[in-house]
Amino acid sequence: MSAISGTDQALHRTALYDLHLSLGARMVPFAGYDMPVQYPAGILAEHQHTRAAAGLFDVSHMGQIRLRAKDFATVAAALEKLCPADFINLKPGQQRYSFFLDDRAGILDDLMVTRMGAGDDGDHLFMVVNAGCKLADIAHLRAHLDKACDIEVIADRSLIALQGPQAAAVLIRHAPGSAALTFMQGTALDVAGIPCLATRSGYTGEDGFEISVPDGAVHDLAQRLLSDAAVRPVGLGARDSLRLEAGLCLHGNDIGPATNPVEANLVWAMQKRRREEGGFPGAAIVQQQLRDGPARRRVGILPEGKAPARAHTEISDQNGATIGEVTSGGFGPSLGAPIAMGYVATAQAADGTQLNLMVRGKALPAKVAPMPFVPHRYHRG
Amino acid sequence: MSGIRFSKEHEWVKLEGDVATVGISPYAQEQLGDVVFVDLPAIGKKVEKGKELAVVESVKAASEVYAPVGGEVVEVNAALGDAPGTVNEDALGKGWFAKLRIASKAELDELMDEAAYKAYCDGLH
């Protein structure tokens, strides 16, 4: 059998490393960190448990950054020069999905930004970025964010995610204030007496929370959450299958410097004022793409057989002409069937369009399908 | 000739007459995690020792399964189509992949017996 993985590079460890080992995790290198890909239950069981009850994820490898200025308007306007989202009109406690763009409208990284509102820390922006991009993101901010802003890289906090239909009931027992949050809201919050930042968001399509916790307290908090019968630990393997079923992009696979937000079907993350006014890197290209339509689009793909089609699988039309490539593909445990997403020529991007996936030299029939593959179950209040 | 033999690539083979049953080892299925699909060879396919015989897919990744001995495929385990998880549950039994009519029994001599394979796996940690 062909080898599955292997590297000897020195890897960073999160503050939950010892807990992962004690839980029997299989550790793998990911974005420079030694991370749990699965626990003894396995990816299928962890995935299904998250959809049925609640899963606890260590996502401390991701970057946490605070941006501040003399007032909120200044820092929001500064970030709008790097990202195409509307931050100026964020309400206190409101969270938004966005991305850093380059001058060609390529997506340097995608990120979550929360206006933390007036509290002990003042009215500022709290940002979570991808692990594999965080050093580049910090350099990008230092080079290009208005110098009137202060960039604080948070190096002493872990990040955990509690996701699934039981997540809210579990968290409320430790943090009654969490009940007031709805999807894409965040606040400073004591969880079991520990000062945390919690947002009601995640990467699974389920209701749930991402919780920023001081490193020194995260092991204790994780164990408290895991002591609840509804909560089980979930690794990066199921995190990937959950987000793929939810139709959510993985930076580096589905979006990146070679894709723009219009062809990536992320127009919804560029609010109307920003699309019209521009004022962000690559704005002219975004506006041209909106006007003329992109040449290709990111779509969901359902293979008709049982064979998964992995990233980089060639997509061809009924006549055998290449029309695109799979960017993420695998098995959807909730569907019990293979699922994928990828880019196809716009003419073939309509739902129901028949395609062929070239897997190991064989043309496997598939069709364009709407995403998410599994309905989102966010708590919108 | 009796008993089970293993390759360094974690395939196993059991010989009955001149027909070899082939699968992947418990160590291999453990490393793979949940198996969700097995791409089995066509009946009649001739495969050389060490060449690709099948592909096994876990949730995470696809891995090639190499023929531990050369031969002609005479039967495949079609039951894996509906129940690929059998590879995880019973790797050395009901989770077999294919049966080959082998060309050379001498090729089996190059494989490890159970004790040697166990020592080999222990050395991988």
Side-chain angles (χ1 to χ4, degrees), chain A:
Chain A
M1 208 179 70
S2 49
I4 295 156
S5 66
T7 177
D8 294 325
Q9 279 184 319
L11 296 168
H12 299 287
R13 293 174 177 180
T14 73
L16 292 176
Y17 179 81
D18 290 342
L19 180 64
H20 299 317
L21 294 191
S22 73
L23 292 168
R26 178 181 303 161
M27 306 300 285
V28 297
F30 182 83
Y33 283 77
D34 203 5
M35 296 298 288
V37 66
Q38 66 168 83
Y39 298 88
I43 295 174
L44 288 181
E46 291 167 27
H47 178 115
Q48 279 150 354
H49 185 80
T50 305
R51 292 260 184 262
L56 184 70
F57 304 72
D58 180 14
V59 288
S60 304
H61 55 319
M62 299 183 80
Q64 303 180 57
I65 302 167
R66 276 188 172 119
L67 304 177
R68 287 193 179 85
K70 63 179 167 53
D71 54 32
F72 176 74
T74 303
V75 71
L79 191 58
E80 285 198 0
K81 291 203 163 53
L82 304 183
C83 303
D86 182 341
F87 300 121
I88 290 171
N89 293 302
L90 276 179
K91 297 181 187 77
Q94 191 180 0
Q95 185 177 40
R96 195 150 264 176
Y97 172 75
S98 191
F99 19 82
F100 290 126
L101 295 181
D102 67 19
D103 290 338
R104 290 161 34 253
I107 300 173
L108 297 172
D109 193 12
D110 64 341
L111 46 97
M112 296 287 258
V113 178
T114 308
R115 178 178 179 180
M116 291 313 295
D120 296 345
D121 293 317
D123 198 355
H124 67 278
L125 291 173
F126 171 65
M127 177 186 284
V128 177
V129 302
N130 280 301
C133 299
K134 67 182 175 185
L135 295 179
D137 291 341
I138 292 161
H140 182 67
L141 285 167
R142 286 185 175 143
H144 300 294
L145 190 71
D146 190 307
K147 297 293 179 280
C149 300
D150 176 56
I151 301 162
E152 180 196 350
V153 178
I154 303 175
D156 57 357
R157 278 181 174 269
S158 298
L159 191 68
I160 57 175
L162 184 65
Q163 300 278 299
Q166 295 293 314
V170 171
L171 193 61
I172 285 164
R173 286 199 271 281
H174 302 281
S178 63
L181 295 173
T182 58
F183 181 57
M184 299 298 274
Q185 288 186 334
T187 187
L189 187 72
D190 278 2
V191 183
I194 300 159
C196 298
L197 308 175
T199 63
R200 198 152 190 170
S201 63
Y203 197 44
T204 61
E206 299 294 330
D207 183 23
F209 301 84
E210 292 195 349
I211 308 164
S212 172
V213 193
D215 283 339
V218 70
H219 191 280
D220 177 52
L221 180 58
Q223 281 192 317
R224 278 169 186 259
L225 294 171
L226 287 168
S227 72
D228 196 301
V231 182
R232 293 185 197 158
V234 180
L236 293 182
R239 181 169 157 84
D240 191 52
S241 56
L242 288 158
R243 71 89 195 167
L244 181 56
E245 284 186 343
L248 301 172
C249 291
L250 173 61
H251 188 270
N253 277 41
D254 310 304
I255 52 175
T259 54
N260 70 58
V262 181
E263 60 193 9
N265 251 335
L266 297 173
V267 175
W268 59 269
M270 302 184 287
Q271 286 71 29
K272 187 158 174 272
R273 175 178 67 82
R274 303 304 319 279
R275 297 200 300 264
E276 290 175 0
E277 292 177 4
F280 53 85
I285 292 171
V286 166
Q287 289 168 339
Q288 175 273 323
Q289 291 270 296
L290 287 166
R291 198 167 52 240
D292 302 338
R296 57 177 187 164
R297 274 188 194 281
R298 182 175 64 91
V299 296
I301 299 164
L302 279 178
E304 285 173 16
K306 295 202 168 178
R310 307 285 174 178
H312 308 301
T313 297
E314 178 190 321
I315 305 171
S316 59
D317 67 11
Q318 300 285 70
N319 302 318
T322 301
I323 56 162
E325 190 178 272
V326 171
T327 51
S328 285
F331 183 78
S334 301
L335 286 82
I339 53 174
M341 67 169 87
Y343 286 81
V344 295
T346 301
Q348 277 101 350
D351 288 343
T353 305
Q354 285 287 328
L355 309 168
N356 286 313
L357 305 173
M358 303 306 293
V359 176
R360 295 185 282 276
K362 286 176 274 192
L364 302 182
K367 58 174 184 282
V368 177
M371 291 191 288
F373 297 106
V374 171
H376 293 160
R377 296 195 287 181
Y378 302 134
H379 178 69
R380 295 184 189 274

Side-chain angles (χ1 to χ4, degrees), chain B residues 43-110:
Chain B
I43 307 278
K45 177 180 172 165
K46 292 194 172 93
V47 58
E48 286 174 45
K49 177 184 167 91
K51 302 290 187 194
E52 182 183 311
L53 175 69
V55 174
V56 58
E57 303 234 18
S58 68
V59 183
K60 281 299 282 176
S63 301
E64 288 152 5
V65 177
Y66 306 115
V69 290
E72 179 182 342
V73 177
V74 293
E75 192 179 344
V76 297
N77 187 0
L80 297 181
D82 286 327
T86 309
V87 176
N88 298 112
E89 291 151 17
D90 190 9
L92 295 176
K94 289 178 182 161
W96 64 278
F97 280 38
K99 296 187 181 186
L100 304 177
R101 178 161 288 117
I102 63 167
S104 156
K105 288 190 184 182
E107 286 182 350
L108 271 87
D109 297 338
E110 300 156 28

